[in-house]
Amino acid sequence: MSGTILGRGQRGLTWDEGQARPRQIAMRGAAAMAAAMGVGRFAYTPILPLMHTQAGLSPQLGSALATANYAGYLAGALAGIAVPALARSRTALRVSLVLVTLTLALMPVTRDGSVWCTLRLVAGAASALVFVIAAGTLITALRTHGDHLIGWGFGGVGAGIALSGALVLALRDAGTWRQAWWLVAALSLVLAIPAWRLPTDAAVTAKQRSSSSSPSPAPSPTARPMDGFTALLASYFLEGVGYIIAGTFLVVAIDQSAPGWVGTSAWVLVGLAAMPSAALWAGLSHRWSRASLLTAALAIQAVGIVLPALIGGVGPALVSAALFGGTFLGIATLALALGAQIGAPRAVAVLTAAYSVGQIARPLLVTPLLHTGYRQALIVGAAVVALAAVAAGLLRPALVSAHDHEGESA
Protein backbone atom coordinates (compact mmCIF):
# COMPACT_ATOMS: atom_id res chain seq x y z
CA MET A 1 0.00 0.00 0.00
CA SER A 2 1.17 3.54 -0.62
CA GLY A 3 0.69 6.89 1.02
CA THR A 4 2.32 8.83 3.85
CA ILE A 5 1.54 9.99 7.35
CA LEU A 6 3.11 13.34 8.12
CA GLY A 7 4.29 14.15 11.61
CA ARG A 8 4.65 17.79 12.65
CA GLY A 9 7.96 19.19 11.42
CA GLN A 10 9.29 15.91 10.04
CA ARG A 11 9.35 13.91 6.84
CA GLY A 12 6.52 11.57 6.02
CA LEU A 13 6.53 7.96 7.16
CA THR A 14 5.31 5.17 4.96
CA TRP A 15 1.75 3.97 5.51
CA ASP A 16 2.99 0.59 6.73
CA GLU A 17 5.28 2.23 9.30
CA GLY A 18 2.61 4.60 10.57
CA GLN A 19 0.08 1.76 10.86
CA ALA A 20 2.46 -0.71 12.52
CA ARG A 21 0.47 -3.19 14.56
CA PRO A 22 0.51 -2.77 18.35
CA ARG A 23 2.71 -5.83 18.88
CA GLN A 24 5.19 -4.54 16.30
CA ILE A 25 5.37 -1.19 18.05
CA ALA A 26 5.90 -2.94 21.39
CA MET A 27 8.67 -5.09 19.90
CA ARG A 28 10.44 -2.17 18.23
CA GLY A 29 10.09 -0.07 21.37
CA ALA A 30 11.51 -2.94 23.43
CA ALA A 31 14.47 -3.21 21.05
CA ALA A 32 15.14 0.53 21.35
CA MET A 33 14.95 0.33 25.16
CA ALA A 34 17.24 -2.72 25.16
CA ALA A 35 19.89 -1.12 22.94
CA ALA A 36 20.01 2.31 24.57
CA MET A 37 19.21 1.52 28.20
CA GLY A 38 19.81 -2.17 28.88
CA VAL A 39 23.08 -2.19 26.95
CA GLY A 40 24.10 1.43 26.37
CA ARG A 41 23.71 2.45 30.01
CA PHE A 42 23.90 -0.71 32.08
CA ALA A 43 26.46 -2.94 30.36
CA TYR A 44 28.96 -0.83 32.33
CA THR A 45 27.81 -2.47 35.58
CA PRO A 46 28.97 -6.06 34.84
CA ILE A 47 32.08 -4.80 32.99
CA LEU A 48 33.13 -2.67 35.98
CA PRO A 49 34.78 -5.56 37.92
CA LEU A 50 36.78 -6.55 34.82
CA MET A 51 37.99 -2.97 34.43
CA HIS A 52 39.00 -2.91 38.10
CA THR A 53 41.13 -6.04 37.81
CA GLN A 54 42.44 -5.79 34.24
CA ALA A 55 42.52 -2.07 33.38
CA GLY A 56 43.52 -0.75 36.80
CA LEU A 57 40.34 1.28 37.15
CA SER A 58 40.13 2.88 40.59
CA PRO A 59 36.83 3.09 42.51
CA GLN A 60 36.98 6.88 42.22
CA LEU A 61 37.40 6.83 38.42
CA GLY A 62 34.72 4.15 38.19
CA SER A 63 32.37 6.47 40.06
CA ALA A 64 33.38 9.40 37.83
CA LEU A 65 32.53 7.39 34.70
CA ALA A 66 29.13 6.58 36.12
CA THR A 67 28.57 10.23 37.01
CA ALA A 68 29.51 11.33 33.48
CA ASN A 69 26.88 8.96 32.12
CA TYR A 70 24.27 10.37 34.51
CA ALA A 71 25.17 13.94 33.50
CA GLY A 72 24.75 13.02 29.85
CA TYR A 73 21.42 11.38 30.64
CA LEU A 74 20.25 14.59 32.31
CA ALA A 75 21.39 16.63 29.31
CA GLY A 76 19.43 14.38 26.96
CA ALA A 77 16.31 14.59 29.12
CA LEU A 78 16.57 18.40 29.34
CA ALA A 79 16.99 18.57 25.57
CA GLY A 80 13.69 16.70 25.26
CA ILE A 81 12.06 19.37 27.45
CA ALA A 82 13.68 22.41 25.82
CA VAL A 83 13.15 21.18 22.24
CA PRO A 84 9.93 19.13 22.23
CA ALA A 85 10.43 18.25 18.56
CA LEU A 86 13.45 16.16 19.57
CA ALA A 87 11.23 13.92 21.68
CA ARG A 88 9.11 13.24 18.58
CA SER A 89 11.87 12.96 15.98
CA ARG A 90 12.75 9.76 14.15
CA THR A 91 16.06 11.34 13.08
CA ALA A 92 16.98 11.99 16.72
CA LEU A 93 16.08 8.38 17.55
CA ARG A 94 18.30 6.97 14.81
CA VAL A 95 21.25 9.27 15.46
CA SER A 96 21.06 8.43 19.16
CA LEU A 97 21.05 4.68 18.47
CA VAL A 98 24.17 5.10 16.31
CA LEU A 99 25.90 7.16 19.01
CA VAL A 100 25.13 4.55 21.69
CA THR A 101 26.75 1.81 19.62
CA LEU A 102 29.78 3.92 18.67
CA THR A 103 30.52 5.01 22.23
CA LEU A 104 30.42 1.39 23.40
CA ALA A 105 32.78 0.30 20.63
CA LEU A 106 35.26 3.10 21.37
CA MET A 107 35.59 2.39 25.12
CA PRO A 108 38.31 -0.30 24.67
CA VAL A 109 40.36 1.81 22.25
CA THR A 110 41.94 3.87 25.05
CA ARG A 111 42.80 3.88 28.76
CA ASP A 112 42.49 7.65 29.05
CA GLY A 113 40.04 8.47 31.86
CA SER A 114 38.99 11.78 30.30
CA VAL A 115 38.14 10.08 27.00
CA TRP A 116 36.19 7.40 28.86
CA CYS A 117 34.24 10.12 30.67
CA THR A 118 33.45 11.86 27.38
CA LEU A 119 32.24 8.63 25.80
CA ARG A 120 30.02 7.80 28.77
CA LEU A 121 28.68 11.39 28.74
CA VAL A 122 27.65 11.08 25.08
CA ALA A 123 26.20 7.61 25.67
CA GLY A 124 24.08 8.99 28.51
CA ALA A 125 22.66 11.82 26.40
CA ALA A 126 21.89 9.50 23.50
CA SER A 127 20.25 6.87 25.71
CA ALA A 128 18.04 9.51 27.37
CA LEU A 129 16.75 10.71 24.02
CA VAL A 130 16.02 7.15 22.90
CA PHE A 131 14.19 6.51 26.18
CA VAL A 132 12.08 9.67 25.94
CA ILE A 133 11.20 9.04 22.28
CA ALA A 134 10.47 5.33 22.73
CA ALA A 135 8.51 5.82 25.96
CA GLY A 136 6.39 8.55 24.35
CA THR A 137 5.62 6.30 21.40
CA LEU A 138 4.75 3.29 23.57
CA ILE A 139 2.44 5.28 25.83
CA THR A 140 0.73 7.13 22.96
CA ALA A 141 0.37 4.22 20.55
CA LEU A 142 -0.50 1.44 22.98
CA ARG A 143 -2.58 3.07 25.70
CA THR A 144 -5.82 1.84 24.07
CA HIS A 145 -4.46 -1.69 23.57
CA GLY A 146 -3.79 -2.61 27.19
CA ASP A 147 -1.13 -1.59 29.69
CA HIS A 148 0.55 -4.98 29.34
CA LEU A 149 1.87 -4.12 25.87
CA ILE A 150 3.40 -0.90 27.19
CA GLY A 151 4.94 -2.95 29.99
CA TRP A 152 6.50 -5.42 27.58
CA GLY A 153 7.93 -2.51 25.61
CA PHE A 154 9.60 -1.15 28.74
CA GLY A 155 10.72 -4.70 29.50
CA GLY A 156 13.25 -4.34 26.71
CA VAL A 157 15.52 -2.67 29.25
CA GLY A 158 15.57 -5.93 31.19
CA ALA A 159 16.27 -7.93 28.04
CA GLY A 160 19.27 -5.71 27.27
CA ILE A 161 20.57 -6.08 30.82
CA ALA A 162 20.21 -9.87 30.73
CA LEU A 163 21.81 -10.29 27.31
CA SER A 164 24.76 -7.98 27.97
CA GLY A 165 25.26 -9.50 31.42
CA ALA A 166 25.31 -13.01 29.95
CA LEU A 167 27.93 -11.96 27.37
CA VAL A 168 30.16 -10.48 30.07
CA LEU A 169 29.66 -13.53 32.30
CA ALA A 170 30.86 -15.77 29.47
CA LEU A 171 34.08 -13.70 29.29
CA ARG A 172 34.68 -13.48 33.02
CA ASP A 173 37.33 -16.21 33.28
CA ALA A 174 38.91 -16.26 29.82
CA GLY A 175 38.10 -12.90 28.23
CA THR A 176 39.23 -9.30 28.63
CA TRP A 177 37.52 -6.03 29.44
CA ARG A 178 38.16 -4.88 25.86
CA GLN A 179 36.39 -7.91 24.40
CA ALA A 180 33.49 -7.24 26.74
CA TRP A 181 32.99 -3.72 25.41
CA TRP A 182 33.21 -4.86 21.78
CA LEU A 183 30.69 -7.63 22.38
CA VAL A 184 28.13 -5.32 23.99
CA ALA A 185 28.66 -2.82 21.15
CA ALA A 186 27.82 -5.59 18.67
CA LEU A 187 24.74 -6.47 20.74
CA SER A 188 23.62 -2.84 20.69
CA LEU A 189 24.01 -2.78 16.91
CA VAL A 190 21.88 -5.91 16.50
CA LEU A 191 19.14 -4.49 18.73
CA ALA A 192 19.18 -1.17 16.88
CA ILE A 193 18.07 -2.89 13.65
CA PRO A 194 14.42 -3.49 14.68
CA ALA A 195 14.42 -0.26 16.71
CA TRP A 196 15.32 1.67 13.55
CA ARG A 197 11.73 1.46 12.27
CA LEU A 198 9.98 2.49 15.48
CA PRO A 199 7.36 5.14 14.56
CA THR A 200 7.68 8.23 16.70
CA ASP A 201 5.01 9.84 18.87
CA ALA A 202 4.40 12.46 16.17
CA ALA A 203 3.66 9.84 13.51
CA VAL A 204 1.40 7.83 15.82
CA THR A 205 -0.54 10.95 16.86
CA ALA A 206 -0.98 12.00 13.23
CA LYS A 207 -2.23 8.53 12.32
CA GLN A 208 -4.70 8.54 15.20
CA ARG A 209 -6.00 11.96 14.19
CA SER A 210 -6.39 10.91 10.55
CA SER A 211 -8.36 7.81 11.52
CA SER A 212 -10.75 9.65 13.85
CA SER A 213 -13.48 11.82 12.36
CA SER A 214 -14.47 13.32 15.71
CA PRO A 215 -11.60 13.25 18.18
CA SER A 216 -12.61 13.78 21.77
CA PRO A 217 -11.47 17.08 23.28
CA ALA A 218 -8.53 17.05 25.63
CA PRO A 219 -9.41 17.29 29.31
CA SER A 220 -9.10 20.71 30.85
CA PRO A 221 -5.79 21.13 32.69
CA THR A 222 -7.63 22.83 35.55
CA ALA A 223 -9.52 19.58 36.20
CA ARG A 224 -6.29 17.65 36.66
CA PRO A 225 -4.81 16.82 40.10
CA MET A 226 -1.58 18.76 39.47
CA ASP A 227 -0.83 18.93 43.18
CA GLY A 228 -0.11 15.21 43.07
CA PHE A 229 2.63 15.77 40.50
CA THR A 230 4.83 17.41 43.16
CA ALA A 231 4.78 14.26 45.29
CA LEU A 232 5.36 12.11 42.20
CA LEU A 233 8.30 14.27 41.10
CA ALA A 234 9.88 14.11 44.57
CA SER A 235 9.44 10.34 44.74
CA TYR A 236 10.89 9.76 41.27
CA PHE A 237 13.83 12.06 42.02
CA LEU A 238 14.64 10.06 45.17
CA GLU A 239 14.25 6.81 43.25
CA GLY A 240 16.80 8.14 40.77
CA VAL A 241 19.28 8.61 43.62
CA GLY A 242 18.78 5.24 45.27
CA TYR A 243 18.21 3.05 42.24
CA ILE A 244 21.34 4.17 40.44
CA ILE A 245 23.50 3.34 43.46
CA ALA A 246 22.36 -0.27 43.16
CA GLY A 247 22.40 -0.15 39.37
CA THR A 248 26.08 0.88 39.42
CA PHE A 249 27.54 -0.95 42.41
CA LEU A 250 25.39 -4.04 43.00
CA VAL A 251 27.72 -6.40 41.11
CA VAL A 252 30.97 -5.24 42.77
CA ALA A 253 29.28 -5.14 46.19
CA ILE A 254 28.15 -8.74 45.81
CA ASP A 255 31.63 -9.72 44.62
CA GLN A 256 32.99 -8.62 47.99
CA SER A 257 30.98 -11.23 49.91
CA ALA A 258 30.31 -14.05 47.43
CA PRO A 259 32.21 -16.16 44.86
CA GLY A 260 33.37 -14.22 41.82
CA TRP A 261 30.75 -15.59 39.43
CA VAL A 262 27.82 -14.58 41.65
CA GLY A 263 27.92 -10.82 41.04
CA THR A 264 27.62 -10.99 37.26
CA SER A 265 25.14 -13.87 37.50
CA ALA A 266 23.04 -11.73 39.83
CA TRP A 267 23.09 -8.96 37.23
CA VAL A 268 21.79 -11.37 34.58
CA LEU A 269 19.02 -12.27 37.05
CA VAL A 270 18.26 -8.55 37.43
CA GLY A 271 17.62 -8.39 33.70
CA LEU A 272 15.56 -11.57 33.59
CA ALA A 273 13.39 -10.38 36.48
CA ALA A 274 13.00 -6.97 34.84
CA MET A 275 11.75 -8.28 31.48
CA PRO A 276 8.20 -9.19 32.62
CA SER A 277 8.09 -6.83 35.60
CA ALA A 278 6.73 -3.72 33.89
CA ALA A 279 3.89 -5.73 32.32
CA LEU A 280 3.19 -7.38 35.70
CA TRP A 281 2.99 -4.07 37.60
CA ALA A 282 0.88 -2.58 34.81
CA GLY A 283 -1.48 -5.55 35.06
CA LEU A 284 -1.79 -5.10 38.82
CA SER A 285 -2.98 -1.54 38.21
CA HIS A 286 -6.34 -2.99 37.12
CA ARG A 287 -6.89 -4.14 40.69
CA TRP A 288 -5.05 -1.52 42.77
CA SER A 289 -4.29 2.16 42.22
CA ARG A 290 -1.02 3.09 40.54
CA ALA A 291 -0.09 5.29 43.51
CA SER A 292 -0.44 2.37 45.96
CA LEU A 293 1.51 0.07 43.65
CA LEU A 294 4.28 2.65 43.27
CA THR A 295 4.63 2.88 47.05
CA ALA A 296 4.75 -0.92 47.37
CA ALA A 297 7.29 -1.33 44.57
CA LEU A 298 9.61 1.26 46.12
CA ALA A 299 9.41 -0.43 49.54
CA ILE A 300 10.23 -3.83 47.99
CA GLN A 301 13.14 -2.33 46.06
CA ALA A 302 14.59 -0.79 49.24
CA VAL A 303 14.66 -4.26 50.83
CA GLY A 304 16.33 -5.72 47.75
CA ILE A 305 19.05 -3.07 47.68
CA VAL A 306 20.00 -3.36 51.37
CA LEU A 307 19.94 -7.18 51.55
CA PRO A 308 23.47 -7.98 50.21
CA ALA A 309 24.91 -5.19 52.36
CA LEU A 310 23.58 -6.88 55.52
CA ILE A 311 23.84 -10.58 54.65
CA GLY A 312 26.62 -12.12 52.55
CA GLY A 313 26.44 -15.25 50.43
CA VAL A 314 24.85 -16.52 47.26
CA GLY A 315 21.22 -16.74 48.44
CA PRO A 316 20.81 -13.13 49.62
CA ALA A 317 22.63 -11.90 46.51
CA LEU A 318 20.21 -13.69 44.19
CA VAL A 319 17.14 -12.61 46.18
CA SER A 320 18.44 -9.04 46.07
CA ALA A 321 18.85 -9.24 42.30
CA ALA A 322 15.32 -10.62 41.83
CA LEU A 323 13.75 -7.91 44.01
CA PHE A 324 15.71 -5.10 42.38
CA GLY A 325 15.10 -6.38 38.84
CA GLY A 326 11.45 -7.03 39.55
CA THR A 327 10.76 -3.45 40.64
CA PHE A 328 12.87 -0.79 38.92
CA LEU A 329 11.11 -0.97 35.54
CA GLY A 330 7.73 -1.30 37.22
CA ILE A 331 8.48 1.87 39.15
CA ALA A 332 9.38 3.71 35.95
CA THR A 333 6.26 2.47 34.14
CA LEU A 334 3.96 3.36 37.04
CA ALA A 335 5.53 6.80 37.52
CA LEU A 336 5.31 7.73 33.84
CA ALA A 337 1.73 6.45 33.64
CA LEU A 338 0.84 8.54 36.71
CA GLY A 339 2.42 11.58 35.06
CA ALA A 340 0.19 11.05 32.02
CA GLN A 341 -2.82 10.47 34.29
CA ILE A 342 -2.18 13.71 36.14
CA GLY A 343 -1.81 15.54 32.85
CA ALA A 344 1.50 17.30 33.48
CA PRO A 345 2.91 18.88 30.29
CA ARG A 346 5.73 16.77 28.79
CA ALA A 347 5.52 14.47 31.81
CA VAL A 348 7.89 11.82 30.39
CA ALA A 349 10.72 14.29 29.78
CA VAL A 350 10.17 16.18 33.07
CA LEU A 351 10.11 13.01 35.16
CA THR A 352 13.14 11.63 33.31
CA ALA A 353 15.01 14.87 34.04
CA ALA A 354 14.15 14.65 37.75
CA TYR A 355 15.33 11.04 37.74
CA SER A 356 18.58 12.16 36.12
CA VAL A 357 19.16 14.93 38.67
CA GLY A 358 18.77 12.27 41.34
CA GLN A 359 21.40 10.15 39.65
CA ILE A 360 23.86 13.04 39.57
CA ALA A 361 23.25 13.64 43.28
CA ARG A 362 24.44 10.09 44.01
CA PRO A 363 28.19 10.89 44.17
CA LEU A 364 27.59 13.48 46.89
CA LEU A 365 26.11 10.74 49.06
CA VAL A 366 28.26 7.69 48.38
CA THR A 367 31.65 8.62 46.89
CA PRO A 368 33.14 9.34 50.35
CA LEU A 369 32.04 5.83 51.40
CA LEU A 370 33.75 3.97 48.56
CA HIS A 371 37.14 3.92 50.31
CA THR A 372 35.83 1.12 52.53
CA GLY A 373 33.98 -0.79 49.83
CA TYR A 374 30.48 -0.74 48.41
CA ARG A 375 28.26 -2.12 51.19
CA GLN A 376 27.74 1.23 52.90
CA ALA A 377 26.76 2.72 49.54
CA LEU A 378 23.99 0.13 49.20
CA ILE A 379 22.70 0.95 52.69
CA VAL A 380 22.48 4.62 51.76
CA GLY A 381 20.77 3.74 48.48
CA ALA A 382 18.17 1.64 50.28
CA ALA A 383 17.47 4.46 52.74
CA VAL A 384 16.89 6.93 49.91
CA VAL A 385 14.51 4.54 48.11
CA ALA A 386 12.62 4.13 51.39
CA LEU A 387 12.18 7.91 51.44
CA ALA A 388 10.91 7.70 47.87
CA ALA A 389 8.26 5.24 49.08
CA VAL A 390 7.21 7.74 51.77
CA ALA A 391 6.88 10.47 49.13
CA ALA A 392 4.86 8.14 46.90
CA GLY A 393 2.60 7.46 49.87
CA LEU A 394 1.60 11.13 49.79
CA LEU A 395 0.54 10.85 46.15
CA ARG A 396 -2.61 8.78 46.58
CA PRO A 397 -4.33 11.18 49.05
CA ALA A 398 -3.55 14.07 46.70
CA LEU A 399 -5.11 12.24 43.74
CA VAL A 400 -8.18 11.21 45.77
CA SER A 401 -8.62 14.78 47.06
CA ALA A 402 -8.35 16.21 43.55
CA HIS A 403 -10.83 13.62 42.25
CA ASP A 404 -13.32 14.49 44.97
CA HIS A 405 -12.90 18.19 44.28
CA GLU A 406 -13.48 17.61 40.58
CA GLY A 407 -16.68 15.71 41.38
CA GLU A 408 -17.96 18.53 43.57
CA SER A 409 -17.21 21.08 40.85
CA ALA A 410 -19.16 19.02 38.36
Side-chain angles (χ1 to χ4, degrees), residues 141-308:
L142 304 179
R143 61 188 171 192
T144 60
H145 298 280
D147 288 346
H148 68 287
L149 277 180
I150 298 175
W152 282 113
F154 277 83
V157 179
I161 288 173
L163 290 170
S164 59
L167 288 177
V168 176
L169 180 62
L171 287 175
R172 188 172 185 95
D173 294 328
T176 68
W177 67 276
R178 286 191 171 93
Q179 291 172 332
W181 281 111
W182 282 322
L183 275 177
V184 298
L187 175 61
S188 176
L189 177 62
V190 170
L191 292 168
I193 294 172
W196 199 258
R197 297 186 63 204
L198 177 71
T200 63
D201 185 17
V204 171
T205 302
K207 188 262 178 184
Q208 291 173 340
R209 287 174 179 169
S210 68
S211 63
S212 175
S213 58
S214 57
S216 57
S220 169
T222 59
R224 298 286 189 164
M226 291 301 294
D227 289 345
F229 193 69
T230 302
L232 176 63
L233 202 63
S235 178
Y236 207 50
F237 162 78
L238 291 168
E239 161 67 0
V241 178
Y243 134 91
I244 205 61
I245 292 173
T248 304
F249 299 127
L250 185 64
V251 172
V252 287
I254 290 173
D255 280 347
Q256 292 180 339
S257 60
W261 59 270
V262 176
T264 304
S265 298
W267 190 246
V268 175
L269 181 57
V270 167
L272 292 175
M275 287 173 61
S277 66
L280 173 62
W281 287 102
L284 291 174
S285 66
H286 296 298
R287 182 180 292 265
W288 293 284
S289 73
R290 291 190 181 106
S292 298
L293 290 171
L294 180 61
T295 304
L298 287 163
I300 293 170
Q301 186 182 97
V303 173
I305 292 174
V306 79
L307 194 58

Side-chain angles (χ1 to χ4, degrees), residues 306-333:
V306 79
L307 194 58
L310 301 179
I311 308 173
V314 177
L318 297 181
V319 172
S320 168
L323 294 179
F324 179 69
T327 53
F328 80 91
L329 280 182
I331 290 168
T333 306

Side-chain angles (χ1 to χ4, degrees), residues 5 12-20 25 28 90 94 197 199:
I5 296 173
L13 304 178
T14 69
W15 182 264
D16 288 341
E17 290 171 335
Q19 286 200 355
I25 293 175
R28 293 171 187 173
R90 170 170 277 194
R94 291 177 169 179
R197 297 186 63 204

Side-chain angles (χ1 to χ4, degrees), residues 6-71:
L6 294 177
R8 186 181 302 173
Q10 68 177 56
R11 296 177 61 186
L13 304 178
T14 69
W15 182 264
D16 288 341
E17 290 171 335
Q19 286 200 355
R21 289 189 289 269
R23 291 183 184 276
Q24 290 178 323
I25 293 175
M27 182 197 72
R28 293 171 187 173
M33 294 282 195
M37 300 293 294
V39 181
R41 292 207 75 198
F42 295 118
Y44 175 69
T45 298
I47 296 176
L48 184 58
L50 287 176
M51 295 185 73
H52 279 321
T53 57
Q54 297 178 6
L57 183 73
S58 68
Q60 289 71 35
L61 180 54
S63 180
L65 292 179
T67 302
N69 189 254
Y70 311 151

